[in-house]
Amino acid sequence: MDLKQLISKNANKIQPDVISSFNSQVAGIKDLIPLTLGEPDFNTPEHIKEAAVQAIRRNESHYTDPQGIPELREAATSYVHDKYGLDYDPKTEVLATAGVSEALLCTFLAIIDPGDEVIIPTPGFPVYEGSVTVPGGKPVFIDTSDNGFKLDPNKLKQVLDEHGDSVKALVLNYPSNPTGVTYNEAELRALADVIKDYDVLVISDEIYSELTYDHNHFSFARLLPDQTITYNGLSKSHAMTGWRVGLVFAKPAILSEIFKMHMFASFSITTNAQYAAVEALNNGRNDAQPMKKVYEERRDLVASGLKAVGLDSPKPEGAFYIFASLPESYKNDSMKFCIDLANEAHVGVVPGVGFGPGGENSFRISYAASTESLKEAVKRIQEFVKNHE
Ligand SMILES: Cc1ncc(COP(=O)(O)O)c(C=O)c1O
């Protein structure tokens, strides 16, 4: 029997995501400096770990309220209120998920009928394309590479008009993975001015909000609260990727449907992680600050090191990625560049082509690694580029 025949057409359409597959491809190379994953190199702050330990000792080891324990929902809504001026009801407008990853898939399962379209600005985080495709949705990419990797409101309007009623949602992710660019309030207002006239949802993935360097993060839901679904979590702000805590905020009519999907996907998230998250959101509100300072220094170190050998990038204003252009000799072949760099210089970076249209002439370097490793990696990249002029 050909077991492949039993797999759904939608599942068959999806390719494994380039970040993990490229990471596995190069992981075995001796002395490799891996700058592939979006994984903070900091440890989770002690007070947060302690809260989880205490929860385990109290035998908090059962299923919880599937929406999240009430303390977590209170802590989450109060956190986004105080930090970003958002008003969500802890009873009906927030849900705790196993990372933003689960929240995204549950959202698309809840909103997409086969054939519905979702606008995804690219280069973008590959999970959006996969999660839209699972329920039969069609990604509509807008290449932003000719506009400093930012979505241009006029182009958005044009695509919305061309695609009409088939468009269900638009993805916004800022600060962005992979480009590190973000939007300021005026730029978001210009986008909102367009979106307000269309019946579309905004999937606003703000997981890197605490890692915004030059100005305060501005949440899109402040502009279009009814249409916006806001995603945040503790993975990046509190160096808690492995705890799997994501948060999704939306109006009750939408949140209740995402919640239904979550009940099938994971029911409730890990109990001790929820108590850890309560501690992080209530008493660790500025935990990201010292990390951000270090990331900023590393960003400058990497960006200037790359620029010195002609590898330009848009100014990385947030997250912990630089999306740098390829050297002339590798023009538009980011896969070959990354394979050669890994084999010859022993530095792992991700080919831009894996982030969708507009990424083929770039590579993503994650600077969430030790300063020592980054210095050595920059030196190796510089030598590699000089050897391939
Ligand atoms: C833009 C973006 N959204 C969502 C996620 C998923 O995060 P989580 O750990 O909360 O599932 C990531 C992780 O790298 C990301 O970069």
Side-chain angles (χ1 to χ4, degrees), residues 19 37-39 97-104 125 127-128 173-178 205-208 231-236 240-242 244-247 320-321 364:
I19 308 170
L37 297 183
E39 169 78 272
T97 52
V100 167
S101 311
E102 189 210 336
L104 289 168
F125 183 47
V127 165
Y128 307 127
N173 164 226
Y174 66 99
S176 152
N177 174 8
D205 180 350
E206 302 177 26
I207 192 164
Y208 294 100
Y231 302 78
N232 216 315
L234 299 176
S235 288
K236 318 292 173 170
M240 288 176 69
T241 46
R244 311 308 301 129
V245 182
L247 297 165
F320 36 56
Y321 308 106
R364 187 193 80 170

Coordinates of all heavy atoms in Angstrom, one line a residue, residues 19 37-39 97-104 125 127-128 173-178 205-208 231-236 240-242 244-247 320-321 364, ligand 1:
I19 N 13.6 26.9 8.3 CA 14.5 27.2 9.4 C 14.9 25.9 10.1 O 16.1 25.6 10.2 CB 13.8 28.1 10.5 CG1 13.2 29.3 9.8 CG2 14.8 28.5 11.5 CD1 12.4 30.2 10.6
L37 N 18.6 29.5 14.5 CA 17.3 29.4 15.2 C 17.0 30.7 16.0 O 17.9 31.5 16.4 CB 17.3 28.3 16.2 CG 17.4 26.9 15.7 CD1 17.3 25.8 16.8 CD2 16.4 26.6 14.6
G38 N 15.7 31.0 16.1 CA 15.2 32.2 16.8 C 15.1 31.9 18.3 O 14.0 31.9 18.8
E39 N 16.2 31.5 18.9 CA 16.2 31.0 20.3 C 17.0 31.8 21.2 O 18.2 31.8 21.0 CB 16.7 29.5 20.1 CG 17.0 28.8 21.3 CD 15.8 28.2 22.0 OE1 15.2 29.0 22.8 OE2 15.4 27.1 21.7
T97 N -2.4 29.5 24.9 CA -2.1 28.4 24.0 C -0.7 27.9 24.1 O 0.1 28.5 24.8 CB -2.3 28.9 22.5 OG1 -1.5 30.1 22.4 CG2 -3.8 29.2 22.2
A98 N -0.4 26.7 23.5 CA 0.9 26.2 23.6 C 1.8 27.0 22.6 O 2.1 26.5 21.5 CB 0.9 24.7 23.2
G99 N 2.2 28.2 23.0 CA 3.0 29.0 22.1 C 2.0 29.8 21.2 O 0.9 29.4 21.0
V100 N 2.6 30.8 20.5 CA 1.8 31.5 19.5 C 1.6 30.5 18.3 O 0.6 30.6 17.6 CB 2.6 32.8 19.1 CG1 2.0 33.4 17.8 CG2 2.5 33.8 20.2
S101 N 2.5 29.6 18.2 CA 2.4 28.6 17.1 C 1.0 27.9 17.1 O 0.3 27.8 16.1 CB 3.5 27.5 17.2 OG 4.7 28.1 17.3
E102 N 0.6 27.4 18.3 CA -0.7 26.8 18.4 C -1.8 27.8 18.1 O -2.8 27.5 17.4 CB -0.9 26.1 19.7 CG -2.2 25.2 19.8 CD -2.9 25.1 21.1 OE1 -2.3 25.3 22.2 OE2 -4.1 24.9 21.1
A103 N -1.7 29.0 18.6 CA -2.7 30.0 18.5 C -2.9 30.3 17.0 O -4.1 30.5 16.5 CB -2.3 31.3 19.2
L104 N -1.8 30.3 16.2 CA -2.0 30.6 14.8 C -2.7 29.5 14.1 O -3.7 29.8 13.3 CB -0.6 30.8 14.1 CG 0.2 32.1 14.5 CD1 1.6 32.0 14.1 CD2 -0.5 33.4 14.0
F125 N 7.6 34.9 8.4 CA 7.7 33.7 9.2 C 7.0 32.6 8.5 O 5.8 32.7 8.2 CB 7.1 34.0 10.5 CG 7.2 33.0 11.6 CD1 8.4 32.3 11.8 CD2 6.1 32.6 12.4 CE1 8.5 31.3 12.8 CE2 6.2 31.7 13.4 CZ 7.4 31.0 13.6
V127 N 5.7 29.8 9.2 CA 4.5 29.1 9.8 C 3.2 29.7 9.3 O 2.2 28.9 9.3 CB 4.7 29.3 11.4 CG1 3.4 28.9 12.1 CG2 5.8 28.4 11.9
Y128 N 3.1 31.0 8.9 CA 1.8 31.5 8.4 C 1.4 30.7 7.2 O 0.2 30.3 7.1 CB 1.9 33.0 8.1 CG 2.5 33.8 9.2 CD1 3.6 34.7 9.0 CD2 2.0 33.8 10.5 CE1 4.1 35.5 10.0 CE2 2.5 34.6 11.5 CZ 3.6 35.4 11.2 OH 4.1 36.2 12.2
N173 N 3.3 41.1 11.1 CA 4.2 40.6 12.2 C 5.3 41.7 12.3 O 6.0 41.9 11.4 CB 4.8 39.3 11.7 CG 6.0 38.9 12.5 OD1 7.0 38.5 12.0 ND2 5.9 39.1 13.8
Y174 N 5.3 42.3 13.5 CA 6.3 43.3 13.8 C 6.5 43.4 15.2 O 5.6 43.2 16.0 CB 5.7 44.7 13.2 CG 4.5 45.2 13.9 CD1 4.6 46.2 15.0 CD2 3.3 44.7 13.7 CE1 3.5 46.6 15.6 CE2 2.1 45.2 14.3 CZ 2.3 46.1 15.3 OH 1.2 46.6 16.0
P175 N 7.8 43.6 15.7 CA 9.0 43.5 14.8 C 9.0 42.1 14.1 O 8.4 41.1 14.6 CB 10.1 43.5 15.9 CG 9.6 44.3 17.0 CD 8.1 43.9 17.1
S176 N 9.6 42.2 12.9 CA 9.4 41.0 12.0 C 10.5 40.0 12.1 O 11.7 40.3 12.2 CB 9.4 41.6 10.6 OG 9.9 40.6 9.7
N177 N 10.1 38.7 12.1 CA 11.0 37.6 11.8 C 10.7 37.3 10.3 O 9.5 37.0 10.0 CB 10.5 36.4 12.7 CG 11.3 35.2 12.3 OD1 12.2 35.2 11.5 ND2 10.9 34.1 12.9
P178 N 11.6 37.4 9.4 CA 13.1 37.4 9.6 C 13.8 38.8 9.4 O 15.0 38.8 9.6 CB 13.5 36.6 8.4 CG 12.5 37.0 7.3 CD 11.2 37.2 8.0
D205 N 0.8 39.5 14.8 CA 1.7 38.7 15.6 C 2.8 39.6 16.2 O 3.7 40.1 15.5 CB 2.3 37.6 14.7 CG 3.3 36.7 15.4 OD1 3.7 37.1 16.6 OD2 3.7 35.7 14.8
E206 N 2.6 39.9 17.5 CA 3.5 40.9 18.1 C 4.4 40.2 19.2 O 4.8 40.8 20.2 CB 2.6 42.0 18.7 CG 1.8 42.7 17.7 CD 0.8 43.8 18.2 OE1 1.1 44.4 19.2 OE2 -0.2 43.9 17.5
I207 N 4.8 39.0 18.9 CA 5.6 38.2 19.8 C 6.9 38.9 20.2 O 7.5 38.7 21.3 CB 5.8 36.8 19.4 CG1 6.3 35.9 20.5 CG2 6.7 36.7 18.1 CD1 6.2 34.4 20.3
Y208 N 7.4 39.7 19.3 CA 8.7 40.4 19.6 C 8.5 41.8 20.1 O 9.4 42.6 20.1 CB 9.6 40.5 18.3 CG 10.1 39.1 17.9 CD1 9.4 38.5 16.8 CD2 11.1 38.5 18.5 CE1 9.8 37.2 16.4 CE2 11.5 37.2 18.1 CZ 10.9 36.6 17.0 OH 11.3 35.3 16.6
Y231 N -1.5 38.5 19.0 CA -0.8 37.4 19.5 C 0.5 37.9 20.2 O 1.2 38.7 19.7 CB -0.3 36.5 18.3 CG -1.5 36.0 17.5 CD1 -2.1 36.9 16.5 CD2 -2.0 34.8 17.6 CE1 -3.2 36.5 15.8 CE2 -3.1 34.3 16.9 CZ -3.7 35.2 16.0 OH -4.8 34.8 15.3
N232 N 0.7 37.3 21.4 CA 1.9 37.6 22.1 C 2.2 36.3 22.9 O 1.5 35.4 22.9 CB 1.8 38.9 23.0 CG 3.0 39.6 23.0 OD1 4.1 39.1 23.1 ND2 3.0 41.0 22.8
G233 N 3.3 36.4 23.6 CA 3.7 35.2 24.4 C 5.0 35.5 25.2 O 5.5 36.6 25.1
L234 N 5.5 34.4 25.8 CA 6.6 34.6 26.7 C 7.9 34.1 26.1 O 9.0 34.3 26.7 CB 6.3 33.9 28.0 CG 5.1 34.5 28.7 CD1 4.8 33.7 30.0 CD2 5.3 36.0 29.1
S235 N 7.8 33.5 24.9 CA 9.0 32.8 24.4 C 10.2 33.8 24.2 O 11.3 33.5 24.6 CB 8.7 32.2 23.0 OG 7.9 31.1 23.1
K236 N 9.9 34.9 23.7 CA 11.0 35.8 23.4 C 11.3 36.8 24.5 O 12.4 37.1 24.8 CB 10.8 36.6 22.0 CG 10.2 35.7 20.9 CD 11.1 34.6 20.4 CE 10.4 33.7 19.4 NZ 11.2 32.8 18.7
M240 N 11.6 32.1 27.2 CA 10.8 30.9 27.7 C 10.3 30.1 26.5 O 9.2 29.6 26.6 CB 9.7 31.4 28.5 CG 10.1 31.9 29.9 SD 8.7 32.6 30.9 CE 7.8 31.1 31.3
T241 N 11.1 29.9 25.5 CA 10.7 29.2 24.3 C 10.2 27.8 24.7 O 9.2 27.3 24.1 CB 11.8 29.1 23.2 OG1 13.0 28.7 23.9 CG2 12.0 30.4 22.5
G242 N 10.9 27.1 25.6 CA 10.6 25.7 25.9 C 9.4 25.6 26.8 O 8.9 24.4 27.0
R244 N 6.4 26.9 26.3 CA 5.3 26.9 25.4 C 4.1 27.6 26.0 O 3.0 27.0 26.3 CB 4.9 25.4 25.1 CG 6.0 24.6 24.6 CD 6.8 25.1 23.5 NE 6.1 25.4 22.3 CZ 6.2 26.6 21.7 NH1 6.9 27.6 22.2 NH2 5.5 26.8 20.6
V245 N 4.2 28.9 26.2 CA 3.1 29.8 26.6 C 2.9 30.9 25.5 O 3.7 31.7 25.3 CB 3.3 30.4 27.9 CG1 2.1 31.2 28.3 CG2 3.7 29.4 29.0
G246 N 1.7 30.8 24.9 CA 1.3 31.8 24.0 C 0.0 32.4 24.4 O -0.7 31.8 25.2
L247 N -0.3 33.6 24.0 CA -1.5 34.3 24.4 C -2.1 34.9 23.1 O -1.5 35.5 22.3 CB -1.2 35.5 25.4 CG -0.5 35.0 26.7 CD1 0.1 36.2 27.4 CD2 -1.6 34.3 27.6
F320 N 15.5 39.7 17.0 CA 17.0 39.5 17.1 C 17.5 38.9 15.8 O 18.3 38.0 15.8 CB 17.4 38.7 18.3 CG 16.4 37.6 18.8 CD1 16.1 36.6 17.9 CD2 15.9 37.6 20.1 CE1 15.2 35.6 18.3 CE2 15.1 36.6 20.5 CZ 14.7 35.6 19.6
Y321 N 17.1 39.5 14.7 CA 17.5 39.0 13.4 C 18.0 40.1 12.5 O 17.5 41.3 12.6 CB 16.3 38.4 12.6 CG 15.6 37.3 13.4 CD1 14.3 37.6 13.9 CD2 16.1 36.1 13.6 CE1 13.6 36.7 14.6 CE2 15.4 35.1 14.3 CZ 14.2 35.4 14.8 OH 13.5 34.5 15.6
R364 N 19.2 35.2 6.6 CA 18.8 35.6 8.0 C 19.8 35.1 9.0 O 20.2 34.0 9.1 CB 17.4 35.1 8.4 CG 17.0 35.7 9.7 CD 15.8 35.0 10.3 NE 16.2 33.7 11.0 CZ 15.4 33.0 11.8 NH1 14.1 33.4 11.9 NH2 15.8 31.9 12.4
Ligands
LIG1 C1 7.1 35.8 14.3 C2 6.9 34.6 15.2 N1 5.7 34.2 15.5 C3 5.5 33.2 16.3 C4 6.5 32.4 16.8 C5 6.2 31.2 17.6 O1 6.5 31.4 18.9 P1 6.0 30.4 20.1 O2 7.3 30.0 20.8 O3 5.2 31.3 21.0 O4 5.2 29.3 19.5 C6 7.8 32.7 16.4 C7 9.0 31.9 16.8 O5 10.1 32.0 16.4 C8 8.0 33.8 15.6 O6 9.3 34.2 15.2

